[in-house]
Amino acid sequence: MSQTYIMVIGGKPEGPFSITELKAKGLKPADFVKTEAMIDYKEAHEIPELREVLGFSKPPVIPQYFGSFDQRLLAAVIDWLIVTAVFVIPALLIVLISQGKMFNMILSGSLLAIIPIAYLIYHIVMESGPRQATYGKQILKIKVTDMQGYPINSSAATGRNFAKIFSVLTLGVGYVLNFFNKKQQCLHDMMAGTLVVKDRLV
């Protein structure tokens, strides 16, 4: 008979459940479970059987060091330069070749709309990807995680980056919050439940 587990759901123990049933219930790495033989509950990622069968990654290092404001700002500047260059350099070449003033005006105006959208998509894709970071963040050796240090998915990355609107609408106060909490979160991090971390103090 396969091992069964009690799972804490909504603060209450339920079960026992088989591994198949746990998977159907959307068991997450940080959910608390125990077998009848276990004295106390453990997080699911701490149990080798669950880690192997459900495909949990190796438990991350508990976040201890967080991205500072200056690191995050510099990473953002680098990312803006990268994304802008991808569109502006080809556009400049087209402008130099083209003789149509109206076309050049339309092209220039289009860039003002395209670049911010591309910047948003770039962040969502990169932060939810294997490296958990844009190229700017990779250079600064910081990355985005959830509150337990695990990678975020595309939905969380989308929510985080759209939440930046609120950090901007507060006249930048949302970003300044980075200075006033231990985990150095900005407003959009708090809203999305994310952290910007570094593996070690640099």
Side-chain angles (χ1 to χ4, degrees):
M1 185 176 178
S2 61
Q3 186 69 269
T4 58
Y5 293 85
I6 305 293
M7 178 181 176
V8 177
I9 303 175
K12 297 180 180 180
E14 295 188 18
F17 301 113
S18 66
I19 291 179
T20 301
E21 291 171 325
L22 289 175
K23 189 172 184 178
K25 288 184 174 294
L27 180 70
K28 297 181 178 62
D31 287 336
F32 286 99
V33 295
K34 71 182 288 292
T35 66
E36 292 183 0
M38 291 169 58
I39 298 174
D40 202 359
Y41 288 90
K42 289 186 176 182
E43 292 187 359
H45 68 76
E46 297 181 273
I47 300 173
E49 180 184 33
L50 295 180
R51 205 160 59 231
E52 180 180 348
V53 175
L54 298 180
F56 292 157
S57 60
K58 183 180 178 182
V61 176
I62 297 174
Q64 298 180 56
Y65 305 116
F66 305 96
S68 62
F69 182 83
D70 58 337
Q71 288 177 312
R72 296 171 66 154
L73 178 61
L74 182 54
V77 171
I78 293 171
D79 289 325
W80 268 114
L81 291 174
I82 290 172
V83 174
T84 301
V86 168
F87 291 93
V88 170
I89 292 174
L92 285 175
L93 294 176
I94 293 172
V95 167
L96 291 173
I97 296 171
S98 173
Q99 299 299 318
K101 290 185 178 180
M102 182 60 69
F103 173 78
N104 291 342
M105 289 176 63
I106 293 173
L107 179 61
S108 300
S110 298
L111 288 178
L112 294 176
I114 293 172
I115 290 175
I117 294 172
Y119 186 75
L120 175 66
I121 295 171
Y122 162 75
H123 270 74
I124 292 171
V125 171
M126 297 295 287
E127 290 175 0
S128 62
R131 294 187 178 275
Q132 303 169 242
T134 59
Y135 290 119
K137 286 185 175 70
Q138 290 177 43
I139 291 171
L140 274 294
K141 301 185 184 301
I142 56 179
K143 62 183 179 181
V144 181
T145 73
D146 66 12
M147 298 302 291
Q148 287 75 45
Y150 283 95
I152 61 173
N153 56 29
S154 56
S155 296
T158 300
R160 178 180 188 272
N161 282 281
F162 273 104
K164 289 179 181 178
I165 294 172
F166 296 98
S167 290
V168 173
L169 290 179
T170 55
L171 302 179
V173 173
Y175 288 100
V176 176
L177 290 176
N178 174 271
F179 292 101
F180 299 100
N181 62 88
K182 292 181 179 179
K183 295 183 178 180
Q184 295 181 274
Q185 291 173 291
C186 295
L187 178 60
H188 53 274
D189 292 309
M190 296 176 183
M191 294 177 67
T194 58
L195 300 170
V196 175
V197 304
K198 49 189 175 184
D199 292 334
R200 60 184 182 278
L201 191 61
V202 294

